[in-house]
Amino acid sequence: MMSKSYTNLLDLASGNFPIMSQQPRERKRLSRVMTVPGVISELDDDQANSVASDVQSSLIQDRIIIVANQLPVKAKRRPDNKGWSFSWDEDSLMLQCKDGFHEDMEVIYVGSLRVEVDPSEQDDVSQLLLDKFKCVPAFLPPDILNKFYHGFCKQHLWPLFHYMLPFSASHGGRFDRSLWEAYVAANKIFSQRVIEVINPEDDYVWIHDYHLMVLPTFLRRRFTRLRMGFFLHSPFPSSEIYRTLPVREEILKALLNADLIGFHTFDYARHFLSCCSRMLGLEYQSKRGYIGLEYYGRTIGIKIMPVGIHMGQIETVLKHADNEWRVKELKQQFQGKTVLLGVDDMDIFKGLNLKLLAMEAMLKQHPKWQGRAVLVQIANPARGSGKDLEEVQAEIQESCKRINETFGRPGYEPVVFIDRPVSLSERTAYYNVAECVVVAAVRDGMNLTPYEYVVCRQGVSGSSSSSESSVPKKSMLVVSEFIGCSPSLSGAIRVNPWNMESTAEAMNEAISMSDNEKQLRHEKHYRYVSSHDVAYWSRSFFQDLERACKDHFRRRCWGIGLSFGFRVVALDPNFRKLSIDAIVSAYLRSKKRAILLDYDGTVMPQTSINKSPSQEVLSIINTLSSDAKNTVFLVSGRGKDSLGQWFSPCKKLGIAAEHGYYLRWSADKDWEICGQNCDFGWFQIAEPVMKLYTESTDGSYIETKESALVWHHRDADPGFGASQAKELLDHLESVLANEPVTVKSGQYIVEVKPQGVSKGVVAEKIFTSMADKGRQADFVLCIGDDRSDEDMFERIGNASTSGVLASSTNVFACTVGQKPSKAKYYLDDTSDVLHMLRALAEDSDPLSDEEDEDSRSP
């Protein structure tokens, strides 16, 4: 079903966005970055065709292109105002990622600059950054930049991903489609810069964060086999929240064009998987510790790994002489005081005022800390703006003033609020004097403050302050349970920041705890933080990306779909579309043919409300089954009564009902039972269990067949239905362990049926019967669309080796839809199937004599 969340999907598909009607002037294309000799063809950036090759490139050096909203460089105008000077931003996570790659890995960065560069200087700046920093800048026109970053990213995605819904125009703002168009336009510009420098069959691409969530679609449309990963550094909200986004499916489908999608915590990954299940009908599988989503033949890996800190950077700062001077100064300032520290960005989700209120509650509940406990709160400058932020800032100022007036005294100020940029060097000094760090964010992606604090409290071995090196290290953490690092810090005191009294008690407990307990908790945290640093994180992600992409060049890939409905279908090289000319040619050459057809989803669309066959279907099948050279069977899971009634005009048609439990060779023959026994006593065991789950699962129902019981949950809640199906499967397998039945789960069903009943058994029985009559099939056509038909495809593949079919038999095992299958061929849909069957019917002959008719019966 095509999404209606964009008014003209063809505009998106072709890149013609209303907001980009005035294109910036054409810039010079950057030369490809190459470190070994080779030839790389230029790619027309306006072409939407996928680019792929069956031959891997001769370039052998590994290279990764890291794409983020901002480049890891600082830009400064030269004093003479002629040109720019650039330097590495050592605090950038994108730059620190490099430490996790092997030495031979070449890293290219693509992103925007924090400064506005005049269009006349952009070419020179681009070449300079590429030559000296291996950075490729994406220059966004001011109108697009404002709507992209300050508009869609900060007004829609950022609040929504932090669980803030736009309940009114004044609270969060309404969805603005022009902002979405700008977001798409900006992502397209980023893709153009990537395309300019990429070697598509050798490079890896690693995309970062919510600013670039639709970039994977732009790149995948150009390069179907590109090895591409995405990591989300913010939370991913629950499906109930995410579903409110008008462009929800576009973003999900765009992310699924990546090969690996990373999250900080299992909660975030679980929410993403739930959205994929509820909105796209995709189910994930966990195998040997890895989580994967099957999507049109591709397996998208799900990576759960919290980012770490850069140990080397912090240790370098700790060794610096200035740090010792700062620490001594702070120790004098807070002499005789117990310091609790907070380091947060100034935004509405950091819970700064909740932390202040908790401090106020602690001083009230535990008067012993009045005059002794000090909360030092460092507030980094706000990245955004708006009415909500202004209200929070005013509330914080009011709380600070009230607390200091109530509990302050000469020489003692209970709250020290630092509202200015604080360098890492100054921050480490505060970490050194703090007895406890408090993080009270109501929602945060990761938050590395606790990690930095633990490392700073550990110090650096061999530093000049040797007198303190032998002192046991200790630290305490009070962290919100709503931040990404919380699950990793098992020794921290976790709190619900909305409960100020509970947070106050946690703060009191943290600073009152014995030194021995603080040491044990500190050691536990330091072992984790020091071993799970940023290098470990990036190395782990890249290794999983390599594993997720290992089959890229073995499979045939092609792109289908418009706009953000675009996806890549990846299939086995031997899997191809069934050629009507080829099958008709083989059909005409053959003398003894076996044709096996599924019903629902094969000759009858799954979406059709009226399930009875049309006159066209009856006519085609009647013509095929009336040919003396043909043995035609309808093999279906439906009951024998409905199938027998519907196809009564087809006198020579064989029917295998209920997956082959009942079999009839033609309309004038009796039904045969192909199961091992006729004892259905297990019905009385299985049915009450199914009824139990039906009563507790709204939208589910039981289908009773003559030989089987089927529990359906297609109309139930997707998550609960799937969970109940797993429980029911286990329950039935347990209570029916000694019964001659098979319990299987399928697409939205759990089925109990007699052992030895499957479509594969039916196929083998038909082929064997034909061979016993001296009519060994020299042409086999088998078509189906679901899991039960895979049994037929597998048996047909084995029939040639077992001698049931001759090695020269023309076999056409065909599935409906482009999806992974044991069949060698596919047709797109039921209309394709009928078109092919119509072609065969036109070349069929009517039944000539009674002898040929009898030869098809057992």
Side-chain angles (χ1 to χ4, degrees), residues 13 43 47-52 187-188 190-192 194-195 198 200-201 203-207 212-230 253-261 295-296 298-301 545 548-553 555-561 563-570:
L43 298 172
Q47 177 182 334
N49 295 332
S50 298
V51 178
N187 275 248
K188 182 174 174 62
F190 275 88
S191 74
Q192 292 166 345
V194 173
I195 289 169
I198 197 170
E201 295 190 0
D203 294 347
Y204 291 88
V205 176
W206 188 0
I207 302 167
L212 302 173
M213 289 197 294
V214 301
L215 179 58
T217 287
F218 284 110
L219 295 178
R220 187 66 71 191
R221 289 183 71 234
R222 291 299 306 269
F223 313 113
T224 57
R225 292 176 178 170
L226 181 63
R227 295 173 290 189
M228 177 168 45
F230 177 91
K253 290 176 180 178
L255 288 175
L256 291 174
N257 277 311
D259 297 297
L260 182 67
I261 305 173
Y295 188 59
Y296 290 93
R298 295 170 53 241
T299 301
I300 295 97
L545 181 59
C549 301
K550 68 180 187 301
D551 291 333
H552 269 31
F553 295 96
R555 295 187 169 190
R556 290 192 309 125
C557 302
W558 65 92
I560 59 174
S563 180
F564 293 110
F566 176 86
R567 63 272 189 198
V568 167
V569 177

Side-chain angles (χ1 to χ4, degrees), residues 235-259:
F236 194 93
S238 67
S239 62
E240 287 75 15
I241 299 292
Y242 181 78
R243 280 188 291 176
T244 64
L245 186 64
V247 289
R248 59 192 191 179
E249 290 186 9
E250 285 85 338
I251 290 176
L252 280 184
K253 290 176 180 178
L255 288 175
L256 291 174
N257 277 311
D259 297 297

Side-chain angles (χ1 to χ4, degrees), residues 56 134 140 209 222 252 328 340 511 514 556 641 657 820:
Q56 295 192 42
K134 292 187 177 178
L140 303 179
D209 222 4
R222 291 299 306 269
L252 280 184
K328 289 179 182 178
L340 296 96
I511 56 180
S514 68
R556 290 192 309 125
D641 292 338

Side-chain angles (χ1 to χ4, degrees), residues 391-403:
E391 290 177 354
V392 167
Q393 288 175 318
E395 191 178 354
I396 289 171
Q397 291 172 3
E398 173 62 29
S399 295
C400 289
K401 181 181 178 181
R402 183 183 66 254
I403 295 170

Side-chain angles (χ1 to χ4, degrees), residues 832-848:
D832 269 7
V833 173
L834 292 179
H835 180 57
M836 183 271 297
L837 292 177
R838 192 183 303 113
L840 297 184
E842 290 172 357
D843 288 302
S844 299
D845 297 322
L847 192 64
S848 57

Side-chain angles (χ1 to χ4, degrees), residues 122-381:
Q122 289 178 2
D123 288 341
D124 293 336
V125 167
S126 295
Q127 201 61 52
L128 174 65
L129 286 171
L130 183 63
D131 293 341
K132 292 191 174 182
F133 296 90
K134 292 187 177 178
C135 288
V136 180
F139 298 108
L140 303 179
D143 57 333
I144 290 181
L145 174 62
N146 185 58
K147 289 185 175 182
F148 155 68
Y149 183 75
H150 297 290
F152 193 76
C153 288
K154 289 301 180 182
Q155 289 182 29
H156 289 317
L157 291 181
W158 177 256
L160 187 78
F161 281 21
H162 289 75
Y163 287 71
M164 181 177 173
L165 293 174
F167 288 114
S168 66
S170 60
H171 182 77
R174 298 301 186 201
F175 181 79
D176 185 342
R177 191 158 297 281
S178 69
L179 303 184
W180 163 245
E181 292 168 2
Y183 182 82
V184 174
N187 275 248
K188 182 174 174 62
I189 292 173
F190 275 88
S191 74
Q192 292 166 345
R193 303 302 276 160
V194 173
I195 289 169
E196 288 180 5
V197 295
I198 197 170
N199 301 325
E201 295 190 0
D202 293 277
D203 294 347
Y204 291 88
V205 176
W206 188 0
I207 302 167
H208 290 265
D209 222 4
Y210 64 95
H211 313 89
L212 302 173
M213 289 197 294
V214 301
L215 179 58
T217 287
F218 284 110
L219 295 178
R220 187 66 71 191
R221 289 183 71 234
R222 291 299 306 269
F223 313 113
T224 57
R225 292 176 178 170
L226 181 63
R227 295 173 290 189
M228 177 168 45
F230 177 91
F231 195 93
L232 183 66
H233 293 271
S234 78
F236 194 93
S238 67
S239 62
E240 287 75 15
I241 299 292
Y242 181 78
R243 280 188 291 176
T244 64
L245 186 64
V247 289
R248 59 192 191 179
E249 290 186 9
E250 285 85 338
I251 290 176
L252 280 184
K253 290 176 180 178
L255 288 175
L256 291 174
N257 277 311
D259 297 297
L260 182 67
I261 305 173
F263 301 91
H264 284 307
T265 71
F266 175 69
D267 272 351
Y268 303 160
R270 178 168 55 85
H271 294 158
F272 173 77
L273 294 170
S274 176
C275 289
C276 289
S277 172
R278 291 176 178 273
M279 289 168 229
L280 304 179
L282 303 178
E283 297 298 332
Y284 74 91
Q285 291 182 334
S286 182
K287 186 177 182 181
R288 295 185 177 180
Y290 295 103
I291 299 174
L293 270 173
E294 286 293 329
Y295 188 59
Y296 290 93
R298 295 170 53 241
T299 301
I300 295 97
I302 303 298
K303 175 74 173 176
I304 302 167
M305 174 63 70
V307 71
I309 60 173
H310 193 284
M311 293 289 293
Q313 182 189 27
I314 294 180
E315 289 175 349
T316 299
V317 172
L318 291 174
K319 290 178 182 178
H320 205 278
D322 282 353
N323 184 67
E324 293 186 21
W325 171 79
R326 288 178 185 274
V327 171
K328 289 179 182 178
E329 188 181 62
L330 290 175
K331 284 185 176 179
Q332 290 176 359
Q333 178 181 348
F334 297 109
Q335 188 174 12
K337 306 293 189 298
T338 298
V339 177
L340 296 96
L341 178 66
V343 181
D344 303 275
D345 294 338
M346 174 61 77
D347 81 42
I348 59 178
F349 300 110
K350 300 302 181 184
L352 294 184
N353 198 54
L354 295 176
K355 189 188 305 183
L356 293 172
L357 295 175
M359 179 67 180
E360 183 178 30
M362 186 188 80
L363 294 176
K364 288 180 179 177
Q365 295 169 13
H366 303 278
K368 65 179 181 179
W369 292 115
Q370 296 178 17
R372 295 172 54 199
V374 177
L375 172 63
V376 177
Q377 178 61 55
I378 297 173
N380 301 318

Side-chain angles (χ1 to χ4, degrees), residues 11 116 149 157 180 445 454 456 511 593 639 646 652 658 683 718 724 729 736 841 843:
D11 280 346
E116 185 176 345
Y149 183 75
L157 291 181
W180 163 245
V454 168
C456 290
I511 56 180
R593 310 169 186 135
W646 287 345
K652 309 306 175 188
E658 299 192 18
F683 262 64
Q724 289 289 81
L729 184 70
L736 297 172
D843 288 302

